[in-house]
Amino acid sequence: MFRFPTRGSTISIAAAIALLSLADVASSSNPWPVKGLLALVCVAAFFLLQRGLPQSAEPPPPSPHPLPSRDDFRNLFDTAPAGMALLQPNGAIVRVNLAFCRWLGQERDSMLQRNWWNLLDSKDLEASLASVTRLLGDHPETVQFEAHFRHKDSRLLFGNVAMALLPDELLLAYVIDISMRFESEQRVRRLNQELEQRVAQLTELHQDIATFTSSISHDLRAPLRQMDGFSRILLDDFGSNASEEARNAALRIREAVQNMSRMLEDLLQLSRLGRHRLSRVACDMKLLVDQVVVSLGPEWEGRTVEWRIGDLPFLDCDPGLMRKLLENLLSNAIKFTRRQQAAVIEVGSQWKEGQPVIFVRDNGVGFPPSQAGKLFTVFQRLHRSEDFEGTGVGLASVNRIVQLHGGSVWAESELGHGATFFFQLERASADNPVEAQTVIV
């Protein structure tokens, strides 16, 4: 039958609980209310019990308040929110509280018949034994270690264990459940491994893209140049003697070769965008649009085009990429308003969720609203090449540029009633700040 420790042992146990609780509070990220209150109660019990010991040969003066009894200490031990157990050096469990029993899904009577070392998973026995051996040999105030405990339903729980050596060669074990922390660490470790694998895959993919780009630049363009050169020789040297059908065939060969060359060049530019490192500065969008309109002058020369360029904000962006984006959008507007006697192209801004949105609107041929989601895919064309030239890469480049800026792009239209393209960029963050100076490009 277990006899509860003497008053002197009780004081030592209370002091040990107080030290363990305070150490746990100091090392835990949990707030004070539960564990801090336990520590304070234990400290108070320690000093109250200490006051109850005789300080001299004279009897202590009568106290108006009764000292805590052994039953009070038992209640404190049994109702502690963390798992606690009194052990013999060989691991026999002398006393255990309700929190520890509930944590392992065991009954108190069953726990008292078991050995501490049988509660631990085998892989943690060696390290745990070493800690207890050090406690019994060197007598440090406490030892701490982490170990897996076996629940009644066979699942593993992870606990942080602090042990103190008490008089009468008893060990006080204080166990805190850190299973959630352990699972979180395991999850983070798995995610890091997956991230490393994906980084390796992306690195390999970028190498493949670089190889493909090199192949396009050299292996594919060389035969195209030869085809273009030989077809030109045929037309120049033998065109006058060739039949009309032969001349048309040679012209179609040259036209197809040149179209293929433009497509390859657009693909090269698109692949370079994925490797472009952003250099974000504050750009005057109004001035940038004016410059792009002037540079596109040869495309609308001789036509009636009304440009409506409103007040535009400064944007935190890469000026070189933003110029390419505007060139693609405005060039598309010029191209698809070709059938209008008086083309109207508008560039303006509006606000959405506190961020500026730039739009380019035209009164051209438009497209069916159901096809809006396909516009920004490579090689996706909504009109016949016989009606409107192009490679189907321009809007894909626009989409890639906006994605590089962490933004979004979308389009609205009705067939025969023009189209409007919108884009919004992500505001620069602390990790990717905008340079202090304002750059006019």
Side-chain angles (χ1 to χ4, degrees), residues 342-359:
V344 178
I345 302 175
E346 179 183 2
V347 184
S349 65
Q350 58 192 38
W351 290 84
K352 178 183 179 182
E353 298 177 355
Q355 293 291 325
V357 176
I358 307 298
F359 65 84

Side-chain angles (χ1 to χ4, degrees), residues 266-284:
D266 289 345
L267 279 175
L268 286 172
Q269 292 184 5
L270 184 62
S271 68
R272 294 188 192 106
L273 288 178
R275 302 190 300 273
H276 186 90
R277 183 173 181 178
L278 287 182
S279 177
R280 298 180 71 155
V281 295
C283 293
D284 185 345

Side-chain angles (χ1 to χ4, degrees), residues 61-91:
S63 172
H65 304 290
L67 294 176
S69 65
R70 296 177 184 178
D71 289 338
D72 294 332
F73 181 75
R74 288 191 182 95
N75 291 333
L76 177 64
F77 181 93
D78 288 337
T79 58
M84 298 179 68
L86 286 173
L87 315 171
Q88 293 180 358
N90 63 0

Side-chain angles (χ1 to χ4, degrees), residues 404-438:
L404 288 173
H405 286 82
S408 56
V409 59
W410 65 98
E412 297 175 358
S413 178
E414 290 185 17
L415 193 60
H417 293 82
T420 305
F421 290 84
F422 304 85
F423 68 89
Q424 184 179 36
L425 306 186
E426 180 187 46
R427 179 179 293 174
S429 63
D431 296 331
N432 189 18
V434 176
E435 295 180 12
Q437 73 271 21
T438 297

Side-chain angles (χ1 to χ4, degrees), residues 121-255:
D121 189 64
S122 58
K123 62 184 176 183
D124 296 323
L125 280 177
E126 184 177 350
S128 303
L129 280 168
S131 297
V132 174
T133 302
R134 185 166 64 89
L135 180 64
L136 295 172
D138 300 337
H139 299 291
E141 292 184 358
T142 61
V143 293
Q144 291 194 24
F145 56 92
E146 295 179 351
H148 290 85
F149 290 80
R150 183 70 63 178
H151 191 272
K152 184 178 180 179
D153 62 8
S154 298
R155 59 191 171 95
L156 287 178
L157 301 174
F158 202 53
N160 183 289
V161 183
M163 276 192 178
L165 181 62
L166 306 179
D168 302 328
E169 292 295 317
L170 287 177
L171 300 175
L172 174 63
Y174 183 79
V175 185
I176 300 174
D177 181 15
I178 56 172
S179 301
M180 291 184 62
R181 191 202 76 183
F182 178 75
E183 291 174 2
S184 298
E185 291 174 352
Q186 292 290 97
R187 191 179 302 112
V188 170
R189 191 175 294 109
R190 288 194 298 270
L191 290 174
N192 285 336
Q193 292 175 350
E194 292 177 5
L195 181 60
E196 291 175 359
Q197 293 175 356
R198 292 186 181 184
V199 169
Q201 292 173 355
L202 285 175
T203 301
E204 184 179 355
L205 179 61
H206 284 167
Q207 292 175 349
D208 292 342
I209 292 176
T211 302
F212 177 67
T213 302
S214 176
S215 177
I216 291 177
S217 300
H218 301 91
D219 300 339
L220 295 182
R221 297 174 102 180
L224 287 176
R225 285 193 295 267
Q226 292 176 355
M227 292 170 63
D228 183 61
F230 285 125
S231 61
R232 186 175 65 251
I233 291 174
L234 286 174
L235 288 172
D236 293 343
D237 294 349
F238 305 102
S240 58
N241 298 325
S243 65
E244 188 67 22
E245 184 178 359
R247 284 182 57 82
N248 288 337
L251 288 172
R252 292 181 65 181
I253 290 174
R254 289 209 66 198
E255 183 180 347

